[in-house]
Amino acid sequence: MRRLLQTRRLSIWVAAFLPLALLIVASVLMVWSAQTSKQAEMEVRLGLRVLSQIHALHAQLAEGASGIRGYLLTQKHSFLAPYELARVRIPPALEELSGKVKDVEQQRHLNLVTALINDKLRNLAVIKAQAATANIEDTLQIILNDNKNLLDRLRQTVVLMEQREEVVIAERSAIADRWRQQALILSLAALLMVLVGMAFSAWLALRARHADAAATAAEQTNRAKSDMLSRVSHELRTPLNGILGYAQLLARQPLAPLAQRQVGHILASGEHLLQLVNDVLDLSRHELRPPQLSLRAVPIAALLHDCMAWVVTTTNTEPAWTITVDDSLAVYADEQRLRQIIINLLSNAVKFNRADGALTLQVLGTESVVTIGISDSGEGIASEDLVRLFQPFERLHKGIEGTGLGLTISRQLAQAMGGDISVESSFGVGSTFILTLPRHS
């Protein structure tokens, strides 16, 4: 039942959060892909703007040079306007471009272009300053001689920048296209993941409903079974007590030896059947509801001696026990239920011990727990059978009387009191049953 409930809770949690988690992951991937694609496109546009601005600066520089030539020829100051505009605008424009260019090779080309343009502007400034004193023809010749090499180098560098920018733009365009394709693929994958997650969640929810229905049906079946066992046990006990009562009356009468033996068989069989009925009734009560317990401090040494005396009386044996117990130890338990557990474990040790075998009872205490170990030197239990030991109606030793319920009930009672029962056994050597309970300080 607990496992079904855990499965149901897990299924509900997964069904609720799996589609949401997949949608979040898909959205993050799509946003990241879109941002990367957008960044690549922005770099492409930036490269185009840089190239356009370089052409504009080159054209502005050419206009400034033409204005200087016109001024030299006419001595009219109106021709200096393009030069003055280029002198003011070109240097900050070059500095702005330097911050935009990210490609290493383009940055190197831009540095060269900046140096050439600055040289050109300085030459034009010198020519302008000497225009009033120098011979105009000689000055024009100076312009042609000094600036032709600069213009050729500048033109070549701009061509190199154009070629490099075409390569960079092509690379960035390819990156942008690739990320756009990946964004589309991721979008489709995200949609598929969400659909798969929704389908899986629906399947988990359906499975959880089925598990819930199965758990409910199992619980109802278990309750019906326990209720039936309880009713049948009550109905059986009344006539069985009558049979035992009349058998006990017969046993007190003077009877022939054969009749006395027959009455003894009736009493033994009836008591065995009554014990079975009591065990079944006890088990059904535990399955329907937790046992009602009255927990208090119980001195363990006195209780053990009482239980051992009861076992001696009921089994008509005098087993030789090796006992180790601290009289000061006490457990926090229900005394009646604890007595039931210990009597069951002691009776089993006597019942399954071999003739003249050793019986050991050892009680140890820690700060929080008291451990009671009851050992016998019987034939032991095979390791593959240990998992069946505490199952109801499991009898591993078929030749010995028993209902197969004692250990099941004892373990349920121990766990209800905050303890447990475990077993250590070696086949052919013997077994040790270990009862742990909270210590009362």
Side-chain angles (χ1 to χ4, degrees), residues 161-193:
M161 289 191 72
E162 289 177 346
Q163 294 174 349
R164 176 58 186 169
E165 196 61 34
E166 289 176 358
V167 174
V168 172
I169 289 173
E171 292 175 351
R172 291 171 178 170
S173 298
I175 292 173
D177 291 339
R178 184 166 65 251
W179 279 110
R180 277 193 293 269
Q181 293 175 358
Q182 291 184 0
L184 178 60
I185 294 172
L186 286 172
S187 301
L188 295 175
L191 178 61
L192 181 61
M193 288 169 64

Side-chain angles (χ1 to χ4, degrees), residues 205-227:
L206 181 62
R207 184 178 177 185
R209 284 197 296 270
H210 287 167
D212 190 22
T216 302
E219 184 177 357
Q220 291 175 348
T221 302
N222 203 27
R223 285 184 174 276
K225 180 195 70 175
S226 298
D227 187 57

Side-chain angles (χ1 to χ4, degrees), residues 154-428:
L154 182 61
R155 191 178 298 108
Q156 292 172 0
T157 306
V158 171
V159 169
L160 289 175
M161 289 191 72
E162 289 177 346
Q163 294 174 349
R164 176 58 186 169
E165 196 61 34
E166 289 176 358
V167 174
V168 172
I169 289 173
E171 292 175 351
R172 291 171 178 170
S173 298
I175 292 173
D177 291 339
R178 184 166 65 251
W179 279 110
R180 277 193 293 269
Q181 293 175 358
Q182 291 184 0
L184 178 60
I185 294 172
L186 286 172
S187 301
L188 295 175
L191 178 61
L192 181 61
M193 288 169 64
V194 171
L195 292 175
V196 170
M198 293 175 64
F200 184 61
S201 298
W203 176 75
L204 284 178
L206 181 62
R207 184 178 177 185
R209 284 197 296 270
H210 287 167
D212 190 22
T216 302
E219 184 177 357
Q220 291 175 348
T221 302
N222 203 27
R223 285 184 174 276
K225 180 195 70 175
S226 298
D227 187 57
M228 182 198 70
L229 287 174
S230 179
R231 291 176 182 273
V232 170
S233 299
H234 278 296
E235 294 298 328
L236 286 174
R237 244 185 346 179
T238 301
L240 188 56
N241 284 329
I243 293 172
L244 287 174
Y246 280 109
Q248 289 169 357
L249 290 175
L250 284 173
R252 294 175 184 176
Q253 303 297 320
L255 300 174
L258 178 59
Q260 192 70 39
R261 286 197 304 273
Q262 291 171 342
V263 171
H265 288 314
I266 294 174
L267 282 172
S269 299
E271 288 172 354
H272 176 68
L273 183 57
L274 181 61
Q275 182 61 43
L276 174 60
V277 171
N278 288 335
D279 287 345
V280 170
L281 186 59
D282 212 3
L283 179 65
S284 64
R285 286 201 198 98
H286 293 170
E287 289 181 346
L288 283 172
R289 65 187 64 85
Q292 298 296 318
L293 301 174
S294 177
L295 300 178
R296 61 183 183 85
V298 180
I300 198 65
L303 181 66
L304 286 174
H305 286 97
D306 290 345
C307 293
M308 293 173 67
W310 191 93
V311 170
V312 169
T313 302
T314 55
T315 59
N316 294 319
T317 59
E318 289 288 344
W321 289 91
T322 301
I323 303 174
T324 304
V325 60
D326 184 353
D327 292 341
S328 64
L329 289 176
V331 295
Y332 191 65
D334 183 298
E335 183 173 358
Q336 179 182 354
R337 296 298 191 176
L338 179 56
R339 187 184 299 272
Q340 178 182 346
I341 295 171
I342 294 177
I343 287 175
N344 180 263
L345 295 178
L346 293 175
S347 299
N348 285 347
V350 173
K351 186 191 305 182
F352 295 107
N353 195 29
R354 66 184 63 189
D356 298 326
L359 293 169
T360 304
L361 194 155
Q362 186 178 36
V363 182
L364 300 174
T366 64
E367 291 184 0
S368 59
V369 173
V370 172
T371 303
I372 304 171
I374 300 174
S375 305
D376 64 67
S377 54
E379 64 179 71
I381 304 169
S383 56
E384 61 270 17
D385 291 333
L386 289 175
V387 294
R388 300 164 43 211
L389 186 61
F390 294 98
Q391 299 299 318
F393 302 104
E394 286 288 349
R395 295 179 58 219
L396 304 183
H397 301 278
K398 303 300 183 183
I400 300 177
E401 286 186 357
T403 62
L405 294 174
L407 285 177
T408 303
I409 296 171
S410 296
R411 192 178 204 185
Q412 289 177 350
L413 291 173
Q415 291 174 345
M417 292 186 289
D420 201 0
I421 297 178
S422 59
V423 62
E424 298 174 357
S425 184
S426 299
F427 190 71

